[in-house]
């Protein structure tokens, strides 16, 4: 490394779940591959089903510690803290609490979750309902002495609770919450926030609302995204999307942002490496071809 080389980055890069080019492997084996690829973090996906058991959790914990891979966990998609049905609200709270307990067993530092849908309620009513559910959950987590941080995510569809403002306001109102900023969702929701200046403005807003330290440990999601007037349609790979990820990386770098970047593209390990190399200033043409030859699915 030359004397002018950048100091080691403060941003960690990793994948949402098992990289798609790996077939029939356990999460613990996937974490080994993440380490071999030179990535730094991994988000355990409990999104569609609850597949974890104690043995798997211990294995994940051990493997991640051995390789120095930082873990987070994404809670079930079947959470709606604003459901008009009280039973569904309680079941949602139970799912979120269960995710926190499993995260602790796995050694994951935070749990990312989707708050829910507006349904028939106004944004204000939805906010009140979600806030009160989260206050209860946080008080239980506190009693259990859990070190896990709860992170409500900014959402991509307009029917979903979770504009940037709503998430920041929640984090101000409920003690202990920190945001998961999904920039693809933020972009897809309004079709905006896709330039260096807008990324910077957004990050400075987060700093203003949640304090300067927040930029040192952000949890970020990124993927390419297809969208229409209703917002997000689906995730695609970064290079196939209109997302200006090079400007995004530059904005994070210039504001000295630290924390975790979790890549959620269909080919999530390729995109995580792409972002990591851009961040480290090492994405050369021959390296790009190497990764394309080895890690791009047919
Ligand atoms: Zn999510």
């Amino acid at each position: 490394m030359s004397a002018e080389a950048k100091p080691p980055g403060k941003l960690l890069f990793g994948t949402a779940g098992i990289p798609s080019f790996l077939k029939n492997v356990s999460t613990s084996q996937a974490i080994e591959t993440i380490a071999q690829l030179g990535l730094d973090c991994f988000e355990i996906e409990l999104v569609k089903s609850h597949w974890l058991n104690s043995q798997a959790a211990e294995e994940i914990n051990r493997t991640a510690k051995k390789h120095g891979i930082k873990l987070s966990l994404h809670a079930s998609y079947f959470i709606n803290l604003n459901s008009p049905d009280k039973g569904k609200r309680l079941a949602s709270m139970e799912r979120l609490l269960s995710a926190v307990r499993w995260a602790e067993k796995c050694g994951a530092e935070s749990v990312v979750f989707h708050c829910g849908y507006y349904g028939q309620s106004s944004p204000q009513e939805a906010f009140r309902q979600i806030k009160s559910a989260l206050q209860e959950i946080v008080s239980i987590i506190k009693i259990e002495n859990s070190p896990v941080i709860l992170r409500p995510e900014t959402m991509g569809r307009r029917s979903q609770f979770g504009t940037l403002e709503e998430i920041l306001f929640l984090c101000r109102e409920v003690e202990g919450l920190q945001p998961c900023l999904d920039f693809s969702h933020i972009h897809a929701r309004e079709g905006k926030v896709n330039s260096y200046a807008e990324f910077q403005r957004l990050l400075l807003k987060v700093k203003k609302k949640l304090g300067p330290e927040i930029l040192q440990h952000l949890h970020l999601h990124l993927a390419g995204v297809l969208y229409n007037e209703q917002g997000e349609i689906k995730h695609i790979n970064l290079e196939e999307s209109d997302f200006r990820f090079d400007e995004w990386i530059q904005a994070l770098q210039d504001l000295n942002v630290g924390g975790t970047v979790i890549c959620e593209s269909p080919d999530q390990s390729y995109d995580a490496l792409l972002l990591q190399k851009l961040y480290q200033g090492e994405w050369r043409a021959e390296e790009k071809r190497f990764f394309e030859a080895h890690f791009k699915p047919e």
Side-chain angles (χ1 to χ4, degrees):
M1 217 185 238
S2 72
E4 298 91 322
K6 288 186 190 115
K10 299 189 311 157
L11 269 179
L12 305 178
F13 293 84
T15 64
I18 299 174
S20 52
F21 76 90
L22 293 175
K23 303 290 174 221
N24 303 317
V25 300
S26 68
T27 291
S28 164
Q29 288 168 319
I31 292 170
E32 301 243 1
T33 307
I34 289 297
Q36 284 159 6
L37 289 173
L39 290 169
D40 322 289
C41 53
F42 181 84
E43 193 150 289
I44 303 161
E45 302 266 76
L46 275 191
V47 296
K48 289 181 187 155
S49 67
H50 184 90
W51 50 268
L52 259 176
N53 55 43
S54 298
Q55 197 195 339
E58 274 166 36
E59 242 173 65
I60 289 169
N61 197 329
R62 213 177 319 118
T63 311
K65 284 211 172 79
K66 180 175 154 202
H67 294 289
I69 299 295
K70 186 172 171 174
L71 297 176
S72 49
L73 184 147
H74 198 307
S76 170
Y77 286 152
F78 308 105
I79 286 176
N80 184 2
L81 299 174
N82 187 43
S83 171
D85 180 328
K86 192 176 178 196
K88 287 188 181 150
R89 262 196 332 269
L90 289 174
S92 295
M93 290 168 70
E94 191 49 51
R95 281 191 193 110
L96 190 47
L97 266 175
S98 154
V100 170
R101 291 170 185 145
W102 282 103
E104 191 175 354
K105 287 192 186 124
C106 293
E109 289 182 16
S110 39
V111 164
V112 172
F113 65 100
H114 305 170
C115 293
Y117 295 84
Y118 299 109
Q120 299 304 313
S121 31
S122 69
Q124 292 76 9
E125 285 162 355
F127 185 88
R128 271 196 299 275
Q129 186 77 265
I130 289 168
K131 178 182 154 183
S132 99
L134 285 173
Q135 278 171 328
E136 272 191 58
I137 293 169
V138 164
S139 71
I140 297 171
I141 295 176
K142 224 174 173 177
I143 291 168
E144 294 183 0
N145 268 325
S146 170
V148 175
I149 299 165
L150 267 184
R151 294 184 179 271
E153 179 175 345
T154 56
M155 297 309 300
R157 298 199 181 101
R158 292 187 180 191
S159 56
Q160 292 168 308
F161 177 91
T163 62
L164 175 72
E165 289 69 25
E166 285 167 342
I167 296 301
L168 295 181
F169 197 36
L170 254 190
C171 292
R172 276 171 74 110
E173 295 272 301
V174 181
E175 197 197 331
L177 291 191
Q178 288 185 31
C180 168
L181 302 177
D182 187 315
F183 273 78
S184 313
H185 286 165
I186 294 170
H187 170 49
R189 191 164 181 129
E190 308 280 343
K192 295 179 197 152
V193 191
N194 196 21
S195 66
Y196 178 83
E198 288 168 303
F199 298 141
Q200 274 226 334
R201 210 175 307 134
L202 188 150
L203 290 163
L204 291 171
K205 185 171 183 178
V206 173
K207 181 178 170 187
K208 189 171 167 211
K209 298 281 179 195
L210 301 181
E213 315 80 53
I214 198 77
L215 294 191
Q216 293 311 304
H217 36 81
L218 283 183
H219 190 77
L220 308 168
H221 278 180
L222 198 72
V225 64
L226 270 186
Y227 55 92
N228 61 17
E229 315 72 59
Q230 276 84 47
E232 175 191 9
I233 301 172
K234 65 168 185 172
H235 288 175
I236 55 177
N237 293 325
L238 280 171
E239 288 172 327
E240 293 150 14
S241 76
D242 71 351
F243 193 82
R244 299 191 192 163
F245 53 90
D246 47 345
E247 295 182 33
W248 185 70
I249 287 288
Q250 194 62 52
L252 294 171
Q253 226 156 19
D254 291 350
L255 285 174
N256 215 15
V257 170
T260 318
V261 175
I262 293 293
C263 200
E264 292 187 316
S265 306
D267 191 357
Q268 68 281 66
S269 55
Y270 177 87
D271 275 1
L273 284 164
L274 168 65
L275 294 171
Q276 186 196 46
K277 300 297 170 194
L278 267 178
Y279 180 71
Q280 295 169 346
E282 288 171 4
W283 192 246
R284 297 182 303 269
E286 65 272 26
E287 199 161 19
K288 187 168 188 291
R289 277 196 296 277
F290 173 82
F291 282 114
E292 268 167 1
H294 288 79
F295 301 118
K296 271 263 186 212
E298 296 301 304

